[in-house]
Amino acid sequence: MKHLRLGVNIDHVATIRNARGGGHPDPLRAAQIAEAAGADGITAHLREDRRHIADSDIKLLAENLSIPLNFEMAATDEMLEIALAHKPHASCLVPEKREERTTEGGLDVAGGHNMLKNFVDALRGNDIKVSLFIEPDLKQMEAAKHLGADIVELHVGPYCDVESGDLRQKELERILAAAAAAEEFGLECHAGHGLTFDTVAPIAKIPNVVELNIGHFLIGEAIFTGLDAAIRKMRKLMDEARAEVSA
Ligand code: PXP
């Protein structure tokens, strides 16, 4: 069974910092705590409007982290230039709308093929792994493969958000089918968005999903239990779910 990596998204440490200006709480310090608590990587999304992570955060993270940095970015020339300047381990291309509260859906890789190709090629040409954040949908998966991406990150937000068990099961089945297709296409498969202690186990049990990216819930939970404890608990739930599959 492949190791299930935990990528901790620290965007909302910057959200809290920016509420007052100044430097506290510091996203780099959060990243270092995450690493000590068992995170395998750090994810940060530099948005066009800089509402949380700032350019200086990306520079500090890129220079100081000893675990991989996953740079979430919109496919724009501005973000490409920043990625090429800091050479993160990976860039995850996400759709971005100015008004949205968070990333609202997967990237339309199938519809935006020509536009995305230049970004995928430029990043890969500079030894940055390219991940595409997509809905668990076969058409999008096929397009990701044609584009030459290394990784697909499956958007599991709808699975996490539904109330009823039946609807959640239906969403889980879409994710299972997409993960199986990723394996067939030779794409590394990640998952993220909206994961919590209550929703993580069924996703962690999907054998070819190798990384989960989790942010908002962990930073929120850190208010009550501390960041270290929140991450350690998530790590434990992931590992336990994974062990059940291997057993
Ligand atoms: N993966 C992607 C591509 C995202 O855009 C986000 C949100 O920034 C996450 C994972 C993490 O989602 P959440 O903060 O809901 O855990």
Side-chain angles (χ1 to χ4, degrees):
M1 179 74 55
K2 291 173 196 149
H3 171 67
L4 181 58
R5 296 164 43 82
L6 170 60
V8 172
N9 181 317
I10 53 163
D11 291 350
H12 296 304
V13 177
T15 303
I16 298 170
R17 176 195 60 195
N18 295 357
R20 280 290 171 95
H24 184 75
D26 173 16
L28 177 61
R29 182 173 165 204
Q32 286 160 341
I33 290 170
E35 181 183 355
D40 300 286
I42 297 298
T43 293
H45 184 178
L46 184 66
R47 296 187 70 103
E48 185 195 6
D49 62 9
R50 309 301 198 267
R51 70 176 72 157
H52 37 59
I53 292 292
D55 299 58
S56 53
D57 293 321
I58 296 296
K59 182 172 188 296
L60 282 170
L61 290 165
E63 287 175 359
N64 292 291
L65 283 181
S66 44
I67 50 176
L69 173 64
N70 174 30
F71 177 53
E72 264 185 37
M73 57 178 264
T76 65
D77 291 338
E78 181 197 17
M79 291 301 152
L80 179 61
E81 199 177 305
I82 295 168
L84 298 187
H86 296 297
K87 298 259 172 68
H89 170 78
S91 281
C92 180
L93 298 179
V94 298
E96 199 174 291
K97 293 188 222 107
R98 207 177 269 267
E99 323 73 47
E100 69 191 358
R101 271 183 294 174
T102 179
T103 312
E104 279 170 0
L107 205 57
D108 184 8
V109 186
H113 193 276
N114 292 340
M115 186 280 267
L116 289 170
K117 178 99 184 111
N118 295 336
F119 292 95
V120 174
D121 290 350
L123 290 163
R124 292 194 79 235
N126 281 275
D127 292 328
I128 300 169
K129 284 193 185 298
V130 177
S131 172
L132 301 176
F133 183 56
I134 62 169
E135 297 293 325
D137 175 284
L138 290 187
K139 208 167 66 176
Q140 299 297 344
M141 187 73 68
E142 245 167 41
K145 174 69 185 166
H146 284 143
L147 217 52
D150 302 284
I151 304 161
V152 283
E153 179 168 327
L154 301 178
H155 186 344
V156 298
Y159 152 83
C160 293
D161 292 344
V162 288
E163 299 282 323
S164 101
D166 281 358
L167 286 177
R168 184 167 284 172
Q169 187 55 32
K170 230 168 129 188
E171 288 296 338
L172 184 59
E173 276 158 24
R174 287 179 68 209
I175 295 165
L176 286 165
E183 173 132 51
E184 237 173 75
F185 287 138
L187 290 161
E188 186 173 313
C189 191
H190 299 180
H193 215 287
L195 288 165
T196 66
F197 292 153
D198 291 336
T199 54
V200 75
I203 304 298
K205 285 181 185 170
I206 305 172
N208 64 308
V209 169
V210 296
E211 179 173 308
L212 302 183
N213 282 301
I214 310 179
H216 181 264
F217 176 80
L218 288 174
I219 305 305
E221 195 62 16
I223 293 169
F224 305 110
T225 66
L227 187 58
D228 179 84
I231 294 170
R232 283 183 197 276
K233 182 165 174 188
M234 187 62 84
R235 175 83 264 167
K236 185 162 178 277
L237 291 170
M238 288 165 56
D239 291 344
E240 284 170 357
R242 205 70 164 185
E244 264 181 54
V245 188
S246 335

